[in-house]
Amino acid sequence: MSAGFIYPEFEVVRNENRCVSCRVCEQQCSNGVHSYDAGRGIMISDETRCVDCQRCVSLCPTRALKIVKSDCVFRENANWSDETIREVYKQASSGGILLSSMGNPQTFPVYWDKILINASQVTNPPIDPLREPMETQGFLGKKPDKVRRDEKGDLVCELSPQISLSMPVMFSAMSYGSISYNAHAALARAAAELGILYNTGEGGLHEDFYRYGENTIVQVASGRFGVHEDYLKAGVAIEIKMGQGAKPGIGGHLPGAKIVGDVSRTRMIPEGSDAISPAPHHDIYSIEDLRQLVYSLKEATEYRKPIIVKVAAVHNIAAIVSGIARSGADIIAIDGFRGGTGAAPTRIRDNVGIPIELALAAVDQRLRDEGIRNNVSLVAGGSIRSASDVIKAAALGADACYIATAALLALGCHLCRTCQTGKCNWGIATQRQDLVDRLDPDEGSRRLVNLMTAWRHEIMELMGGMGINSIEALRGNRLMLRGIGLNDTELRILGIAHAGE
Ligand code: SF4
Ligand code: SF4
């Protein structure tokens, strides 16, 4: 055994009594784990290549397969975990930075799971969402501080452009290139059917998806890939991406191998060239610079589109957002450190940024204290996993939430966290046509609509239980929340009392 030998992380367990050597697993695995040994007349496995994506397990017609986490671990101790030892060996053999995908998997607190929701009992009774009207619709954009009337007493309406959402959830930015054409098609169709929005990410907008413009947010990131006048005018809002929760402080990198065909055309860069978004926007070094871009985009779209500025949740996020709220932005999206990505340096993903719950509460409070809360709407993202997370985010001050990992799960993602390889067996994070074809956009869209429909019902039930009949009335209502097992500092930042108080 060489010094760098790493025992496979997963074991392929094949029940020989059930296996009929149909070779489905071999056809389905893009990592080349399974093969047929003609000499012995049996299927064999190269476990070193397995990433536990569960594709072969799901499609094996005789249920002969199981993938299990290997219990063969390095000699761990409290300081050196198996994972840490593996990483050192990997780097000692490759000399490269570690790359991974999806969100931060480390054992930091998940504050959503330490917050409990109120329910009405005797006075202010609950509302039955099946019998009473319950409003989940909301609007994002700058709101006036007060209502004005002219000398005749008629309302003077000077509302900035608004986005209308049937429920307070949107699909977060995922670029065409990082995810497949079929994944984009499913997201766009589902958003249109649901009356919500999806987001192009920084990859431009494929011409086939212009027809979903009413349900599209177009993104402008530091690489400015695929940005042109028609693109800016195609959606209902424009998002400037300053940062991303999965990798705060660094840019993006889509390897040249994924820049093929339509992806290259949509991004407006040559086939095979790496798409590198720099860490900073090279024209933004201050709030004044950001303001210039915000107003350039408004000017280019005749002041008809709200401008979203997206930032990663980092230290001092409240002060940062307070500055952005003065830049002319209409909506600010804050992305917590558990937010997913197609590829990120592992050290950054796992160590940089802060939880969305703390960031959101601190930002909402700061904007209220400064009297500028109505200047912007807030969108929270970075591991919103369920309807109850949405409700808690709303009560902490979010006008809406972004989801991405949950949407990918609905499309069939099995969270194997190897999107960066481009070999996603589920046809999501890949540009290989044979893999892309595995994802049926109609079926994907149906599953996304189902997921959101279920969440909407749950949101209405949770609100009804609290005696609240509109999502607008819940926004920032922290009296509806209690912390459990949190210390005083955490409770202070979240602005909530402890359970029992
Ligand atoms: S990588 Fe996926 S398809 Fe291949 S053997 Fe492992 S679980 Fe099965
Ligand atoms: S998108 Fe595909 S590659 Fe990425 S985590 Fe999900 S299943 Fe794995």
Side-chain angles (χ1 to χ4, degrees):
M1 181 194 296
S2 82
F5 178 82
I6 303 178
Y7 194 85
E9 203 178 343
F10 305 103
E11 289 174 19
V12 178
V13 181
R14 194 184 314 270
N15 183 329
E16 298 300 345
N17 293 328
R18 290 189 173 192
C19 177
V20 291
S21 297
C22 65
R23 302 178 75 169
V24 166
C25 52
E26 185 183 2
Q27 291 147 18
Q28 291 297 324
C29 181
S30 62
N31 294 308
V33 173
H34 306 280
S35 58
Y36 182 63
D37 183 332
R40 291 193 287 160
I42 54 167
M43 295 299 299
I44 54 173
S45 325
D46 176 359
E47 295 171 323
T48 57
R49 297 159 176 247
C50 179
V51 299
D52 193 16
C53 75
Q54 297 280 316
R55 178 83 186 178
C56 59
V57 176
S58 306
L59 294 185
C60 170
T62 60
R63 301 220 179 281
L65 283 170
K66 233 183 1 179
I67 309 291
V68 294
K69 185 142 177 60
S70 171
D71 57 6
C72 177
V73 290
F74 291 106
R75 186 159 173 173
E76 299 180 284
N77 62 41
N79 191 32
W80 288 94
S81 66
D82 178 68
E83 181 65 23
T84 315
I85 298 169
R86 274 172 193 275
E87 288 176 348
V88 171
Y89 282 147
K90 275 187 205 161
Q91 290 195 298
S93 77
S94 73
I97 61 165
L98 295 168
L99 267 187
S100 23
S101 51
M102 306 312 283
N104 184 336
Q106 302 299 327
T107 54
F108 295 106
V110 178
Y111 287 98
W112 300 131
D113 296 339
K114 294 169 185 284
I115 295 175
L116 298 170
I117 299 169
N118 192 32
S120 298
Q121 293 301 299
V122 182
T123 58
N124 182 25
I127 301 166
D128 183 344
L130 295 176
R131 293 178 179 79
E132 309 275 345
M134 189 64 71
E135 191 53 83
T136 58
Q137 188 181 21
F139 296 90
L140 303 184
K142 202 184 291 280
K143 308 285 188 307
D145 278 327
K146 51 182 182 254
V147 173
R148 273 207 317 119
R149 290 180 186 277
D150 63 17
E151 57 282 0
K152 289 196 218 128
D154 294 334
L155 275 179
V156 179
C157 189
E158 294 168 336
L159 210 53
S160 303
Q162 303 281 313
I163 296 172
S164 161
L165 297 174
S166 64
M167 61 184 286
V169 182
M170 303 185 282
F171 301 135
S172 189
M174 289 176 268
S175 71
Y176 174 43
S178 75
I179 60 169
S180 64
Y181 177 96
N182 285 359
H184 250 235
L187 289 163
R189 283 180 209 172
E193 192 170 329
L194 289 159
I196 61 170
L197 306 182
Y198 85 109
N199 187 317
T200 61
E202 60 177 319
L205 182 61
H206 191 287
E207 64 217 13
D208 292 355
F209 302 140
Y210 273 70
R211 64 196 150 121
Y212 299 108
E214 286 300 301
N215 300 90
T216 307
I217 296 170
V218 295
Q219 195 183 69
V220 174
S222 59
R224 312 275 156 95
F225 300 121
V227 175
H228 49 80
E229 191 182 349
D230 289 346
Y231 170 77
L232 294 176
K233 289 184 170 161
V236 284
I238 302 170
E239 180 172 270
I240 302 171
K241 176 186 152 189
M242 298 301 302
Q244 180 180 350
K247 42 184 174 183
I250 64 165
H253 179 190
L254 192 67
K258 283 189 172 178
I259 310 293
V260 290
D262 277 0
V263 174
S264 125
R265 221 161 32 80
T266 307
R267 290 206 177 214
M268 306 194 312
I269 52 172
E271 288 211 19
S273 59
D274 286 10
I276 297 177
S277 319
H281 285 247
H282 285 312
D283 50 357
I284 301 180
Y285 291 92
S286 65
I287 293 293
E288 289 73 24
D289 292 343
L290 173 63
R291 189 178 174 81
Q292 294 250 357
L293 180 58
V294 167
Y295 277 92
S296 301
L297 295 173
K298 288 191 182 210
E299 193 74 39
T301 51
E302 289 136 18
Y303 292 81
R304 294 205 177 125
K305 321 268 180 194
I307 306 292
I308 307 169
V309 174
K310 176 178 174 179
V311 280
V314 290
H315 308 167
N316 286 326
I317 185 67
I320 294 165
V321 172
S322 162
I324 298 171
R326 293 171 165 84
S327 72
D330 303 275
I331 300 161
I332 300 176
I334 311 165
D335 197 20
F337 78 158
R338 288 189 192 278
T341 180
T346 309
R347 299 288 171 243
I348 301 237
R349 186 196 67 177
D350 294 359
N351 296 281
V352 182
I354 64 169
I356 184 60
E357 304 90 319
L358 300 178
L360 171 63
V363 164
D364 179 67
Q365 192 55 52
R366 171 99 176 216
L367 298 185
R368 284 172 196 274
D369 292 347
E370 294 181 355
I372 54 172
R373 181 63 186 83
N374 289 336
N375 280 15
V376 286
S377 292
L378 293 178
V379 179
S383 194
I384 301 288
R385 306 156 303 169
S386 66
S388 52
D389 288 355
V390 175
I391 286 285
K392 291 170 191 178
L396 287 180
D399 296 272
C401 292
Y402 263 148
I403 64 162
T405 303
L408 294 187
L409 289 174
L411 291 180
C413 166
H414 277 57
L415 268 186
C416 64
R417 300 172 167 273
T418 53
C419 321
Q420 77 276 5
T421 64
K423 294 197 273 188
C424 175
N425 268 320
W426 296 91
I428 300 167
T430 181
Q431 301 307 319
R432 240 177 71 178
Q433 197 56 46
D434 60 322
L435 301 178
V436 174
D437 291 343
R438 293 178 178 182
L439 177 62
D440 173 356
D442 291 330
E443 165 76 0
S445 150
R446 191 181 58 75
R447 291 177 56 83
L448 286 164
V449 170
N450 280 347
L451 180 73
M452 289 298 94
T453 305
W455 283 24
R456 184 163 176 268
H457 284 305
E458 289 175 337
I459 287 170
M460 291 195 290
E461 275 189 345
L462 285 160
M463 288 200 308
M466 286 183 268
I468 286 177
N469 63 3
S470 88
I471 197 76
E472 291 283 338
L474 177 64
R475 179 160 62 86
N477 189 345
R478 299 186 195 192
L479 291 174
M480 292 296 134
L481 304 178
R482 290 289 186 271
I484 183 101
L486 298 176
N487 65 36
D488 287 348
T489 306
E490 292 166 321
L491 291 168
R492 177 175 53 76
I493 295 169
L494 290 167
I496 59 177
H498 199 277
E501 288 181 328

